[in-house]
Amino acid sequence: MKKIIRQLILDAANKAFENNKLNANEFPEFSIEEPKVDAHGDLSTNFAMVNAKTQKMAPRKIAEILIRYIGNNSPVIEKTEIAGPGFINFFILPAAWYPVLSDIYEKDTAYGFSNMGNGQKVQVEFVSANPTGPLHVGHGRGAIVGDSVASILTACGYDVHKEYYINDAGKQIQTLGLSVFLRCRELDGHSIDFPEDCYQGDYIYDIARELKQEKGDWVFTVSEEKAVAFCAKFAADRMIINIRNVLNTLGIEFDNWYSEQALMDSGKVASVIQKFKDQQLIYEKDDALWFKTEAFGDEKDRVVVRNNGQGTYFASDIAYHQDKLDRGFDRIIDVWGADHHGYIPRIRASITASGKDENQFVVILTQLVNLLRKGVPVSMGKRSGQFITLKEVIDEVGKDAVRFIFLTRHYESPLDFDLEVAKQKTNDNPVYYVQYVHARISSIIKKAQDEKQIGENEITDICFDGKAVARIKEPEEIQLIKHLARYPETIRSSAEYMEPHRMAFYLMDLAADFHAYYNKHRVLTEDPDLTAGRLYLIFAVQKVIRNGLTLLGVSAPDSM
RNA sequence: GCGCCCGUAGCUCAGCUGGAUAGAGCGCCGGACUUCGAAUCCGUAGGUCGCAGGUUCGAAUCCUGCCGGGCGCGCCA
């Protein structure tokens, strides 16, 4: 509809110029939007205001000329008005909205999809938590945001690749191995001295038990060095399986799990360091190797190889991001917790330094999650071992509620996640509000089938029944269709800004319109045409609700 | 001290990237089920958009400076 109006305006403006009513035929960018107040029409444009300067005319004067040239010959316009400082308001004929419905039926699960991305290759890397402990809710937020962004981009014609980067090399893995090894000894009846910087959680015992189950006392028959190394590998593998399982319960699957160890074994880390050395971008100071990140916008230079010869995380990350771009992605998106924001400049610097385009690298920073129960904070702390895991949260409140709550906030806002609120089936917890629309419509359709022998196929065919469609004319019905018409642009803006919460809010609004309509008007009536028209409408609503929930990874139940 | 994020109704949050009279939900109060699912709906009340300047036809939105909260500033990961 916006497209139609935009064309109408441009045609009128050009015609006015040809007739010497306007002074210039260059028209700056103008917007068309839905006014907040019904009295301002269905759509409104600021055309006259933004053109005031180039036309050297008063906005209202421009608006008057334009309206004259728009005239009344468009099949979609009921009337136009000039208002306020120079807005032109368009009132659309109700029947002009009907094609939205047939479009929904035609496209069905692909309604609202676009080719905005034009097949561009995009990689979304998210979660990437160290496999040294269970996921917590903060990881969950990044996981859900990353996954939904990926879905939305896919719907917009991007070729999306989801990846998890496993930090399975380095000191923390050694520490994990030592932790498990010590717990094995403890389980064997030895008294142990368990260092503070080892992983304190009970899950270490679980892994130790599993290891003993599989390998018996083997770890005590070899050197401690060898045993710890084995424990590390064993434990990391277990943790990754555990992490993958938890993510699967959230409906998240990755296209690729990328191992840091494999990256190092491939020699790519060493070769990229050598390359930057050759280019004088890496230099030696105090027995360590430093990357000149400051020259590319970072606060200071960063160490890539410590004076003990060990590479830092940054070294792997440089190679990893080089590798991502080398794999041909047009855009690489990293979803990180906000506590890592200090890392952005150095990664960006490494990309710039390599001669690649830093704009291909985008970071989504999700703010931290405060876990609460009835308003009081639940203490968190990984090292202490006292924390509620993501799995426990999912088990308690359910996947759909967890996902939806995380997606009803802008990811840059800190999030209070209250376990008790998340379990409530009230409007404090809008996932059920939206799902209820879907279930309600399923229920009506079932009833239509049982009592009036109108099945889904018959409803779909109603688009060819002009008599029935013409019966859709209540204000609440037209309102619903207008709302459905906004779905495609909601997907597009969610993708453009990588903000899935826009979709969540859209669905809540649509749900509100539906519930209001439902309470005011009956769908199943004694009048066959009226009934058919309304079934046609609500089935379309249901499709859009389902599509939107799918993009957010939330189920659309037929009953609840 | 420096950097990033946040500050909007009693609470939790939106506000379509500068538009018209700033919106939802929860909570409070009052209503609606013999008819398609009351996990719903309808109505009332609630605001110096943290503060102060600036930019312009127009600012919650952009710029500057403060105030308050969170996070980060390692040859840790």
Side-chain angles (χ1 to χ4, degrees):
Chain A
M1 187 61 73
K2 281 187 184 176
K3 250 186 246 170
I4 297 173
I5 297 297
R6 180 172 292 272
Q7 198 53 51
L8 221 53
I9 292 168
L10 286 172
D11 288 348
N14 280 312
K15 216 158 153 200
F17 174 74
E18 285 167 25
N19 293 342
N20 296 316
K21 300 293 185 195
L22 288 179
N23 298 323
N25 68 342
E26 284 202 18
F27 309 111
E29 191 138 329
F30 59 96
S31 68
I32 295 174
E33 48 194 60
E34 295 91 12
K36 283 177 244 171
V37 197
D38 287 344
H40 295 150
D42 295 309
L43 291 170
S44 174
T45 182
N46 62 354
F47 180 90
M49 282 130 78
V50 299
N51 276 281
K53 239 173 219 163
T54 50
Q55 299 293 343
K56 299 195 172 74
M57 289 167 82
R60 288 193 69 108
K61 180 76 184 160
I62 298 174
E64 276 171 35
I65 294 167
L66 207 67
I67 276 193
R68 209 171 315 138
Y69 281 91
I70 288 170
N72 291 330
N73 40 15
S74 163
V76 302
I77 292 190
E78 186 178 348
K79 61 169 176 170
T80 51
E81 274 179 8
I82 302 171
F87 288 104
I88 302 173
N89 297 333
F90 297 87
F91 293 78
I92 309 296
L93 287 166
W97 295 101
Y98 294 155
V100 171
L101 298 178
S102 55
D103 194 33
I104 293 169
Y105 281 87
E106 192 186 318
K107 310 265 178 59
D108 200 17
T109 56
Y111 172 65
F113 285 15
S114 69
N115 194 30
M116 186 170 94
N118 204 15
Q120 257 188 63
K121 284 185 71 179
V122 175
Q123 188 212 48
V124 188
E125 181 218 324
F126 55 108
V127 192
S128 298
N130 288 345
T132 53
L135 298 178
H136 58 252
V137 283
H139 295 125
R141 188 176 193 183
I144 289 162
V145 169
D147 187 54
S148 297
V149 165
S151 298
I152 289 165
L153 288 174
T154 302
C156 288
Y158 291 90
D159 179 10
V160 180
H161 181 94
K162 295 184 280 185
E163 186 157 292
Y164 187 118
Y165 179 63
I166 310 167
N167 288 115
D168 54 359
K171 195 179 137 205
Q172 84 282 1
I173 293 294
Q174 288 309 303
T175 305
L176 176 68
L178 179 62
S179 305
V180 170
F181 177 72
L182 291 173
R183 290 307 187 199
C184 281
R185 294 194 56 167
E186 186 181 3
L187 289 172
D188 227 34
H190 297 82
S191 73
I192 57 158
D193 183 18
F194 200 75
E196 206 172 293
D197 64 350
C198 276
Y199 295 99
Q200 308 288 325
D202 288 343
Y203 63 94
I204 298 293
Y205 284 107
D206 298 337
I207 296 170
R209 275 187 213 101
E210 275 188 67
L211 191 148
K212 284 174 66 69
Q213 184 115 27
E214 277 189 29
K215 304 292 284 188
D217 292 334
W218 177 83
V219 287
F220 305 126
T221 66
V222 298
S223 70
E224 179 166 329
E225 189 186 344
K226 199 170 171 187
V228 169
F230 180 84
C231 287
K233 176 94 176 61
F234 182 89
D237 288 347
R238 289 300 141 137
M239 286 316 308
I240 288 164
I241 290 167
N242 174 287
I243 287 168
R244 177 160 25 201
N245 287 341
V246 173
L247 291 173
N248 283 348
T249 65
L250 281 175
I252 297 171
E253 290 186 16
F254 287 89
D255 297 309
N256 191 31
W257 294 71
Y258 194 106
S259 157
E260 180 189 7
Q261 188 62 55
L263 178 71
M264 293 178 63
D265 293 346
S266 75
K268 283 178 183 164
V269 178
S271 74
V272 80
I273 286 175
Q274 187 58 48
K275 190 187 108 192
F276 284 128
K277 248 195 211 167
D278 294 344
Q279 297 174 345
Q280 318 280 318
L281 291 167
I282 286 177
Y283 62 92
E284 194 171 338
K285 190 181 87 179
D286 303 335
D287 298 326
L289 291 181
W290 297 70
F291 197 113
K292 286 188 179 174
T293 46
E294 190 178 349
F296 301 95
D298 199 4
E299 287 175 356
K300 55 179 186 177
D301 293 345
R302 308 289 176 177
V303 170
V304 286
V305 179
R306 296 196 283 264
N307 61 12
N308 64 6
Q310 285 232 308
T312 61
Y313 251 47
F314 182 41
S316 304
D317 282 340
I318 293 170
Y320 178 45
H321 285 84
Q322 293 290 319
D323 182 63
K324 288 187 188 197
L325 292 169
D326 289 343
R327 279 187 273 164
F329 293 111
D330 298 300
R331 191 187 338 172
I332 53 179
I333 301 168
D334 286 16
V335 182
W336 294 349
D339 52 340
H340 288 86
H341 77 260
Y343 252 66
I344 298 174
R346 75 188 69 170
I347 298 292
R348 179 163 289 143
S350 79
I351 290 170
T352 311
S354 71
K356 295 178 161 64
D357 181 2
E358 63 172 34
N359 295 317
Q360 290 180 274
F361 170 63
V362 182
V363 180
I364 292 177
L365 287 181
T366 62
Q367 287 294 325
L368 302 184
V369 179
N370 299 312
L371 196 59
L372 310 172
R373 190 180 288 283
K374 286 187 180 162
V376 297
V378 179
S379 69
M380 304 273 289
K382 203 166 184 178
R383 280 290 156 90
S384 72
Q386 281 293 355
F387 61 94
I388 295 186
T389 65
L390 178 60
K391 181 181 185 328
E392 287 163 338
V393 171
I394 299 167
D395 288 345
E396 185 170 341
V397 312
K399 163 213 156 198
D400 286 339
V402 172
R403 284 197 71 125
F404 205 83
I405 288 168
F406 280 153
L407 293 171
T408 43
R409 244 127 260 176
H410 189 116
Y411 56 73
E412 277 184 349
S413 295
L415 165 59
D416 289 336
F417 189 99
D418 194 308
L419 289 160
E420 294 305 320
V421 173
K423 278 192 291 187
Q424 285 174 24
K425 299 192 170 171
T426 67
N427 229 343
D428 241 343
N429 196 10
V431 63
Y432 299 111
Y433 185 77
V434 176
Q435 287 182 318
Y436 190 43
V437 172
H438 194 273
R440 251 186 169 169
I441 294 173
S442 285
S443 173
I444 298 170
I445 289 170
K446 183 171 183 305
K447 191 152 175 140
Q449 171 80 286
D450 292 348
E451 296 180 3
K452 300 183 188 293
Q453 281 74 51
I454 307 173
E456 291 189 6
N457 291 337
E458 286 77 14
I459 295 174
T460 301
D461 287 341
I462 289 168
C463 68
F464 303 112
D465 183 351
K467 262 197 324 215
V469 175
R471 299 296 297 276
I472 305 172
K473 56 188 181 190
E474 295 290 344
E476 292 82 4
E477 294 173 327
I478 302 302
Q479 174 64 30
L480 267 176
I481 305 178
K482 287 182 198 171
H483 215 133
L484 297 175
R486 285 212 296 275
Y487 180 74
E489 68 200 65
T490 303
I491 300 186
R492 278 197 295 273
S493 71
S494 301
E496 186 178 351
Y497 299 105
M498 300 184 290
E499 293 177 350
H501 77 280
R502 291 167 185 253
M503 181 54 68
F505 280 92
Y506 169 86
L507 291 173
M508 289 191 283
D509 288 344
L510 178 61
D513 278 356
F514 175 79
H515 286 310
Y517 169 62
Y518 175 90
N519 274 278
K520 189 159 177 187
H521 301 286
R522 260 191 89 79
V523 174
L524 303 177
T525 68
E526 296 309 311
D527 181 334
D529 286 338
L530 184 63
T531 300
R534 290 182 171 175
L535 279 171
Y536 182 56
L537 170 62
I538 67 164
F539 198 34
V541 171
Q542 189 188 42
K543 286 173 187 295
V544 171
I545 289 279
R546 174 205 59 201
N547 291 359
L549 287 174
T550 302
L551 288 177
L552 301 183
V554 175
S555 68
D558 289 316
S559 67
M560 43 196 286

